[in-house]
Amino acid sequence: MKLWVTAALIALTSAVRAEVLLSADEIEQTLSFGPWPPSFQSDPSNRVSNNARAIALGKALFNDPVLSVDGAFSCASCHDPEQAFATSEARALGRVLLDRNTPSLRNLAGLRWHGWGGKSDNLWAASLHPIIEEQEMAHSPESLKTAITESAYIDDYEAIFGVIQNQGPELVLVNTAKALSAYLETLVTDRTQFDDFRDALERRDFPAAAYYPEAGQRGLQLFLGRGNCVFCHNGPRFSNNEFHDASVPYFLNETEVDEGRFGGLNFLLSSPYTLDGDWNDDPDKQGAWAVRNVRRSHADFGTFRTPSLRGVAETAPYMHDGSLRDLNAVIRHYSKINTERLHADGEAILSQLNLSEQEIADLVAFLMTLSKAPY
């Protein structure tokens, strides 16, 4: 009986095991997507980054409707921890239906730009704006100070930031956002089947790497090669965190347009909450060079930040407006992309791929391996 079970297991593993299809150059490119998870680096602009008590306070505030002026909803209402810190709706619902899809809040630590339009250059500012945005949490700095003072979190707040009555409302707002940011920095996607494959390639353990499915490998080859997806989706996060025109309509209606990066820059360059501002806790203002040197141009209209592909199978629907319902629709969008919709003065990196049904299935299979099972 024991010999029969052993033989059955050998037969099963032989059936599961594929082979490594990648060339030496493709293997080298694949190694650039890791290792994962990345090593954590505290945010020098946030003095409570990596502070355990601030992380706990941030998590509690994230899940509590105290951060909305009328207690109507919490951060978690739109960024549901059970849905990869996003939602399954095409567009976010605040006090009104918003213009954009809810992005996942995982893997945000250390990014240069935040939000679909990049209106923040640091995570605590990105955490701050929804609290005071009229269409979202709708607090004023004054009402937020009152809410925190009267909340169950006042002791924790004062243990971290000092006596609240000695602080102006704007300081309380910034401190609250920095506690939220300390928590959000801890949200990192799990390792995946792809990471096991990548690491096996790095240590030249090709028998282990061969357990990665052949469909995923073929999809990866397309991703690196003819598809040129790696141009924007590169590095361990599978994102360059920059802004591109993906030929997705940006007209909201007949008279309004989502300005994308152009509007984000207008906001960023007038914000007091940047790395070049007074609320930065880093005396050296590391990273402030980006906001000091960034410039607006007409080509920024309708460009949006490249999202990370880690955990992508968990975050449908896709694109800044949530217009593509699943990964199959995303691949088909790029396969038959409308190049006439792309900016004439923008990048010339996208063209119709005219993928076969097998190639579409292979790319989807690859993307699925960037999420933790069962995705």
Side-chain angles (χ1 to χ4, degrees), residues 89-133:
E89 305 301 321
R91 291 158 57 189
L93 180 63
R95 298 186 183 279
V96 298
L97 183 64
L98 303 179
D99 296 333
R100 295 175 178 168
N101 177 255
T102 303
S104 175
L105 297 182
R106 300 178 299 179
N107 305 330
L108 299 183
L111 295 185
R112 180 181 300 169
W113 309 116
H114 295 268
W116 283 111
K119 71 178 186 179
S120 301
D121 68 347
N122 63 81
L123 185 52
W124 50 267
S127 305
L128 180 153
H129 296 306
I131 299 174
I132 56 175
E133 170 58 51

Side-chain angles (χ1 to χ4, degrees), residues 170-203:
E170 192 171 20
L171 178 56
V172 175
L173 171 64
V174 172
N175 285 342
T176 300
K178 288 181 176 177
L180 282 171
S181 175
Y183 166 57
L184 295 180
E185 288 174 337
T186 69
L187 305 180
V188 180
T189 52
D190 294 313
R191 284 179 54 84
T192 66
Q193 186 180 20
F194 171 81
D195 294 305
D196 292 340
F197 173 64
R198 181 258 172 214
D199 292 356
L201 292 177
E202 184 175 47
R203 62 179 185 267

Side-chain angles (χ1 to χ4, degrees), residues 48-374:
V48 298
S49 174
N50 206 30
N51 177 301
R53 192 159 190 175
I55 292 168
L57 174 60
K59 181 177 182 179
L61 291 172
F62 182 88
N63 290 287
D64 196 306
V66 69
L67 292 190
S68 62
V69 68
D70 53 1
F73 46 83
S74 67
C75 303
S77 300
C78 288
H79 298 280
D80 185 352
E82 298 300 316
Q83 298 188 59
F85 291 87
T87 71
S88 59
E89 305 301 321
R91 291 158 57 189
L93 180 63
R95 298 186 183 279
V96 298
L97 183 64
L98 303 179
D99 296 333
R100 295 175 178 168
N101 177 255
T102 303
S104 175
L105 297 182
R106 300 178 299 179
N107 305 330
L108 299 183
L111 295 185
R112 180 181 300 169
W113 309 116
H114 295 268
W116 283 111
K119 71 178 186 179
S120 301
D121 68 347
N122 63 81
L123 185 52
W124 50 267
S127 305
L128 180 153
H129 296 306
I131 299 174
I132 56 175
E133 170 58 51
E134 289 185 7
Q135 295 183 333
E136 298 185 55
M137 314 296 264
H139 265 300
S140 66
E142 291 75 18
S143 66
L144 178 67
K145 178 177 178 179
T146 298
I148 296 295
T149 300
E150 296 176 353
S151 75
Y153 309 112
I154 184 59
D155 290 343
D156 289 318
Y157 178 96
E158 293 191 330
I160 299 164
F161 297 111
V163 179
I164 198 168
Q165 293 307 325
N166 296 338
Q167 300 170 19
E170 192 171 20
L171 178 56
V172 175
L173 171 64
V174 172
N175 285 342
T176 300
K178 288 181 176 177
L180 282 171
S181 175
Y183 166 57
L184 295 180
E185 288 174 337
T186 69
L187 305 180
V188 180
T189 52
D190 294 313
R191 284 179 54 84
T192 66
Q193 186 180 20
F194 171 81
D195 294 305
D196 292 340
F197 173 64
R198 181 258 172 214
D199 292 356
L201 292 177
E202 184 175 47
R203 62 179 185 267
R204 296 297 189 263
D205 185 352
F206 295 109
Y211 284 102
Y212 188 68
E214 288 188 355
Q217 292 189 59
R218 292 193 302 267
L220 173 57
Q221 288 176 310
L222 283 166
F223 188 91
L224 297 171
R226 184 156 64 88
N228 198 27
C229 313
V230 70
F231 184 90
C232 298
H233 294 284
N234 50 50
R237 285 188 177 90
F238 284 86
S239 172
N240 63 4
N241 199 45
E242 292 298 336
F243 303 84
H244 303 283
D245 181 359
S247 190
V248 176
Y250 46 90
F251 284 94
L252 301 172
N253 52 52
E254 292 182 356
T255 60
E256 292 182 288
V257 64
D258 188 331
E259 296 180 344
R261 179 56 165 162
F262 190 87
L265 283 174
N266 285 335
F267 189 100
L268 176 77
L269 296 175
S270 63
S271 173
Y273 306 116
T274 71
L275 295 182
D276 199 32
D278 294 336
W279 299 105
N280 184 350
D281 293 330
D282 178 13
D284 297 326
K285 293 190 173 180
Q286 301 172 55
W289 60 270
V291 69
R292 290 170 185 164
N293 292 287
V294 71
R295 298 291 182 269
R296 288 163 290 197
S297 74
H298 181 267
D300 291 321
F301 273 95
T303 66
F304 296 89
R305 190 172 64 86
T306 303
S308 170
L309 295 182
R310 284 200 171 269
V312 67
E314 305 165 61
T315 58
Y318 303 102
M319 302 302 188
H320 72 273
D321 59 353
S323 58
L324 299 179
R325 67 184 183 279
D326 56 31
L327 291 175
N328 189 284
V330 172
I331 301 304
R332 291 181 186 279
H333 166 79
Y334 285 110
S335 180
K336 297 295 185 182
I337 196 164
N338 184 354
T339 55
E340 293 183 0
R341 185 177 283 147
L342 298 171
H343 287 312
D345 58 349
E347 305 161 316
I349 59 173
L350 294 177
S351 61
Q352 286 195 359
L353 298 174
N354 297 311
L355 299 169
S356 69
E357 291 300 314
Q358 183 62 62
E359 289 171 328
I360 291 170
D362 288 343
L363 272 168
V364 170
F366 163 64
L367 293 174
M368 296 288 281
T369 69
L370 302 183
S371 297
K372 185 180 178 181

Side-chain angles (χ1 to χ4, degrees), residues 20-31 201 204 206:
V20 176
L21 305 178
L22 275 60
S23 68
D25 183 61
E26 288 167 338
I27 289 174
E28 195 63 31
Q29 287 181 280
T30 300
L31 298 185
L201 292 177
R204 296 297 189 263
F206 295 109

